[in-house]
Amino acid sequence: MEHVPPPAEELALLDQELVRLDARRLQLLNRRAWLMEVLRPPVAPSAFAAPPARLPAAPVAWGPPAGAVQAAPASGVQNVLLVLGGLLLTIAAIAFTLFSWGEMGIAGRSAVLATVTVAALAAPALLLRRRLSATAEALAALALVLTVLDAYALHAVALPDTDGLGFAAVSSAVLTALWTVYGLALGRLRLPLPAAVVAGQLPLVLGAWAAGAQAAVFGWALLVTAAADVAVALWGRGLAVRITAGVGAASTGLVAMLIGLGQSVSADGPLAAAGPGALLLGGAAVALFGAWRAPKEWAVAAGAVAGLAAVAAVGGVLRTGLPWNWSVVVYLLCGAALTAVVRVRVPQPVGRGVLVASAAVTAGAVLWALPAVAAVLLGPVSLLTDVWAGAPGSVRGALGPSMPWPESAASPVVLVLVAGLSAALYAGWDRMRGTLLSPRPGWRVTAAAGAMVLGWGAALALAAVVDVPYAVAVGVELLLVAGLLVVTVRQGAGALGLTALVCALVGAASAGLLALASEPATYAVFVGLSVLCAGAAARSKAAAVRSVLAGVSVLCAIVPVSAAGASLGWSAPHTAPLVLVVPAVTVLLGARLRVAAVALTLELTGAFGAVVAVGLAVTDAPFLALVLALCGVLAAGTAVRPDRRPVAGYLAAALFVLAAWVRLAASEVSDPEAYTLPVSLIAFAVGYLRRRTDPAASSWVAYGPALSMTMVPSLVVAWVDPHWLRPLLLGVAALVVTLAGARFRLQAPLVLGGSVLALVGLHELAPHVVQVFDALPRWAPPALAGLLLLALGATYEQRLRDARRVRESLGRMR
């Protein structure tokens, strides 16, 4: 058998093995550092440098010699020195050109320019032959700066009368050609060709600026520059050149298309929009040309830009003569036309980019149309401050001045068109498999849900745009809710069913708010919504959907029942008992339903109806006591069920006791014991019998209602009683109850009796405490409070343990 050492011995062995592994790792790292130092190419020694020290044949213990200090990498130090040297030479050349140029004659100037520039351009070639590439790069950078300074000096001295912008355009073109030839001739240099690409962005733009051209000419100049950049990005030499050209193409091309877009949007006729449209189409062609051969990510982005530019070009011409709100429809149709790319043989990334452009145009159009739908859904909120003021003549009268409806006339059209596109995507799902679009599995459900939501929103917006009569608008919203509930029942808890459920709930809320303008509409709409939701809950097979719809049905039923009291001319407290009809029905239905989730939802929403009833009756104490008692009856009826007894039983006892207190207070009873003590005795006997039959029953259920029924009202009266007899008797009774609770280990008598006893004692001591505080100086109470806090802080842990023991002792009681 294999020997397994004890845990302590095994831990020691593991620690020893980890130490050996760490030592071996450090040894290997030292060996690796030495090998890298040996294999690094040597740096050319200086003429005055001392001879290098001879390396040992092998390092001691697989590492560098003892005491050796690892120096900074030679290439890094070399690059820093070269950059600093080139920077200083560049600063010197600029200072010479700006400040010392005029002090020399024409011969001296020519000699200096020719000598320095030729030397700076020729030196990198010689350095490259000696494999000093870093030094060659530094001098090449200096040479490029010198050529720029030469151009500036030439304009300042030889051609001072020429136009500065025109000379800059010509100079940038010449420098572009010079740097390109120079970079191609010395192919190992990395700086000249990217610098030539940067300089190539300027000639056409500066030339158009010098000629005082219009914005369209600037756009074309930028577009031609972008086309050249695309060509360089596709076929240029080196990664740095291609990246620089790509950035330049993106910058100049986007600026050119923004110029075209601005002119196209502001054009007031087809001819005026044709020029910007041509510029945008040219930009689309350049982007498409680049996307055809670009990598995947760049191809998608370029295809999207091409699609957007094409939509802006064609839509800008077709929309002229139409109001701006209808121009959105034109752009939307142009964006939808881009989906024809799925029928064309194009590279897949390019096609995806064009489809992204189509989706972006569609999303923009939907966002433009959404405020109209939001105004229909949220506009009726204003009716909450003016309920039953009378039905307006049309639906816009109930929505308020929240939306300029004439300017939103195209919103329903936009929503209908996008809904149609989504429906077409859903219908053509099978035919699109394997095509350019290659939709994912979740897209089909998304398309169906989008078509349904957009169609619902279009119907709502159309009713407001057409300004249909108020009754028609209410009926349309009810029909839409009914249709959405049908979809919810058929689809269940899937994505489409939940989307329909959310839309139905939002539509139901909007219809309910809209119905508040008229009394008949309020009854018709809320009763209809309650019936629709109840029917859908009964037909649905998804438990979650059934629970939500059942709860909404109860909430909708509360409104007409509450409104019935107002229709009969009753006050709010008189209406409160009528509202309890709904919670009573939910209690009965909850006992009969087999699905626990649905039953719980019904009972909770019914409990909300009971809260509404209590809120209505709170201003009238007698009716409040009646409502509380009726709520107690409903809670007691719910507590008959074993699964509801732990919560409903406590709630029923509390409601009954609270109803008794409110009734006594409403009757201005000065001696409540005459009314509460007999009831408490009966309740105490019932609790005693309950404990006899069920020893595990809590003392709060058995004795809590009986003790609270008498002790709490007596405490309230005793607190304002100026005589001594009632507090004395109540204190004695509380002491007896407390001792009985401690003797028989019953939590309810102990807590209630102790609380009442403490409050009675505080009441009796309060006058004397006030006298003591009046006699003390003003600094004494803060000082005493500080001492108390210090004492508590010093014994905090002990007090915490004491409190924990008290809590555990109470927890063990029944």
Side-chain angles (χ1 to χ4, degrees):
M1 296 178 64
E2 184 179 357
H3 171 67
V4 179
E9 182 180 353
E10 184 178 2
L11 180 61
L13 293 174
L14 290 177
D15 291 337
Q16 295 174 5
E17 186 66 20
L18 289 174
V19 170
R20 284 195 294 269
L21 289 175
D22 289 338
R24 178 61 177 168
R25 183 175 184 274
L26 180 61
Q27 185 181 24
L28 293 176
L29 288 175
N30 291 333
R31 178 65 178 175
R32 180 179 181 276
W34 179 81
L35 291 173
M36 291 182 64
E37 186 68 25
V38 171
L39 295 175
R40 181 177 290 117
V43 180
S46 174
F48 302 95
R54 185 177 180 182
L55 292 174
V60 180
W62 288 71
V69 179
Q70 187 175 1
S75 59
V77 175
Q78 179 187 20
N79 290 334
V80 171
L81 294 176
L82 290 174
V83 169
L84 290 176
L87 181 61
L88 291 175
L89 287 175
T90 303
I91 294 173
I94 295 174
F96 169 77
T97 304
L98 293 178
F99 302 110
S100 301
W101 180 259
E103 299 177 1
M104 303 179 64
I106 186 64
R109 299 171 186 175
S110 302
V112 170
L113 280 174
T115 302
V116 175
T117 305
V118 171
L121 291 173
L126 299 176
L127 293 172
L128 288 175
R129 292 179 183 178
R130 294 179 177 272
R131 298 182 179 179
L132 301 176
S133 57
T135 309
E137 289 287 353
L139 288 179
L142 175 61
L144 299 183
V145 175
L146 286 174
T147 56
V148 177
L149 295 176
D150 290 343
Y152 167 77
L154 181 62
H155 177 265
V157 177
L159 303 170
D161 297 331
T162 58
D163 179 52
L165 289 175
F167 183 83
V170 175
S171 299
S172 59
V174 173
L175 290 176
T176 301
L178 175 63
W179 293 351
T180 302
V181 174
Y182 186 69
L184 292 175
L186 301 178
R188 293 173 60 186
L189 293 178
R190 293 174 292 180
L191 185 60
L193 288 179
V197 174
V198 174
Q201 313 301 311
L202 303 177
L204 293 179
V205 178
L206 292 178
W209 193 359
Q214 297 179 353
V217 179
F218 271 98
W220 282 107
L222 289 168
L223 184 60
V224 173
T225 304
D229 289 333
V230 169
V232 174
L234 293 177
W235 296 297
R237 177 186 296 180
L239 181 62
V241 175
R242 293 186 177 185
I243 292 177
T244 306
V247 173
S251 303
T252 55
L254 288 178
V255 174
M257 283 187 280
L258 286 176
I259 293 174
L261 179 62
Q263 291 186 329
S264 176
V265 171
S266 60
D268 54 358
L271 295 178
L279 177 60
L280 289 169
L281 287 177
V286 172
L288 196 61
F289 176 78
W292 209 276
R293 297 168 180 80
K296 180 178 179 181
E297 293 78 8
W298 290 93
V300 173
V305 172
L308 292 174
V311 169
V314 179
V317 175
L318 297 179
R319 66 139 197 106
T320 53
L322 294 175
W324 174 246
N325 54 341
W326 291 103
S327 299
V328 178
V329 178
V330 175
Y331 285 113
L332 176 60
L333 292 175
C334 294
L338 292 179
T339 56
V341 73
V342 298
R343 303 292 183 182
V344 183
R345 297 183 61 182
V346 297
Q348 190 175 30
V350 178
R352 288 186 180 275
V354 175
L355 292 177
V356 167
S358 176
V361 174
T362 305
V366 171
L367 288 176
W368 176 85
L370 282 182
V373 181
V376 176
L377 294 175
L378 301 178
V381 174
S382 60
L383 296 175
L384 292 174
T385 60
D386 200 10
V387 178
W388 291 1
S394 61
V395 66
R396 291 186 192 175
L399 299 180
S402 58
M403 192 75 184
W405 293 108
E407 287 77 8
S408 304
S411 298
V413 179
V414 169
L415 295 174
V416 167
L417 289 176
V418 180
L421 291 175
S422 300
L425 177 62
Y426 175 78
W429 171 265
D430 295 330
R431 294 192 299 272
M432 281 185 288
R433 290 183 179 178
T435 62
L436 174 66
L437 187 58
S438 298
R440 297 179 181 179
W443 287 15
R444 187 176 190 184
V445 178
T446 304
M452 178 180 62
V453 173
L454 292 171
W456 168 64
L460 294 176
L462 181 62
V465 168
V466 179
D467 197 16
V468 298
Y470 172 77
V472 175
V474 173
V476 167
E477 293 205 12
L478 274 179
L479 290 177
L480 291 174
V481 172
L484 291 169
L485 289 177
V486 171
V487 176
T488 301
V489 171
R490 292 184 177 181
Q491 296 296 326
L496 188 59
L498 293 179
T499 304
L501 176 61
V502 172
C503 292
L505 296 180
V506 174
S510 177
L513 292 173
L514 188 63
L516 295 178
S518 171
E519 182 177 357
T522 300
Y523 287 106
V525 169
F526 280 99
V527 171
L529 289 175
S530 181
V531 173
L532 287 174
C533 293
R539 298 294 300 274
S540 178
K541 297 181 180 179
V545 175
R546 293 181 65 184
S547 299
V548 173
L549 291 176
V552 174
S553 175
V554 174
L555 293 177
C556 292
I558 293 173
V559 176
V561 174
S562 303
S567 298
L568 296 173
W570 295 353
S571 62
H574 288 75
T575 307
L578 183 62
V579 177
L580 292 178
V581 173
V582 177
V585 174
T586 59
V587 169
L588 296 176
L589 291 176
R592 297 181 60 86
L593 290 175
R594 297 180 179 179
V595 182
V598 180
L600 180 61
T601 304
L602 275 176
E603 291 168 355
L604 289 178
T605 49
F608 175 77
V611 172
V612 172
V614 172
L616 292 174
V618 74
T619 57
D620 192 330
F623 271 94
L624 178 60
L626 174 61
V627 170
L628 290 173
L630 293 176
C631 291
V633 172
L634 295 177
T638 305
V640 173
R641 300 165 55 189
D643 56 334
R644 298 288 189 264
R645 188 171 300 159
V647 176
Y650 287 107
L651 182 60
L655 288 172
F656 282 130
V657 172
L658 186 59
W661 295 347
V662 173
R663 181 67 260 183
L664 292 174
S667 301
E668 298 181 355
V669 175
S670 58
D671 297 320
E673 294 83 3
Y675 300 91
T676 59
L677 191 57
V679 178
S680 294
L681 292 176
I682 297 174
F684 189 84
V686 172
Y688 177 76
L689 294 176
R690 169 71 185 277
R691 291 275 298 177
R692 288 283 301 273
T693 57
D694 184 11
S698 172
S699 61
W700 289 99
V701 176
Y703 305 125
L707 296 174
S708 301
M709 182 69 68
T710 296
M711 296 181 72
V712 174
S714 298
L715 178 64
V716 173
V717 176
W719 195 261
V720 295
D721 192 348
H723 303 289
W724 58 271
L725 181 59
R726 187 188 302 275
L728 176 62
L729 295 177
L730 181 60
V732 171
L735 178 61
V736 172
V737 171
T738 303
L739 294 176
R743 169 66 179 81
F744 297 105
R745 303 185 61 79
L746 297 176
Q747 190 179 108
L750 180 62
V751 173
L752 289 175
S755 301
V756 173
L757 182 61
L759 291 174
V760 171
L762 179 62
H763 172 265
E764 295 302 313
L765 290 176
H768 305 287
V769 172
V770 171
Q771 292 178 2
V772 170
F773 271 93
D774 289 339
L776 288 175
R778 292 181 178 269
W779 55 266
L784 292 174
L787 291 175
L788 178 61
L789 291 177
L790 288 175
L792 290 176
T795 60
Y796 174 75
E797 295 294 336
Q798 182 62 38
R799 301 288 79 75
L800 192 62
R801 287 191 293 269
D802 295 342
R804 190 178 294 113
R805 284 196 295 269
V806 171
R807 186 187 65 183
E808 292 174 354
S809 299
L810 285 175
R812 289 192 294 268
M813 294 182 178
R814 298 301 301 172

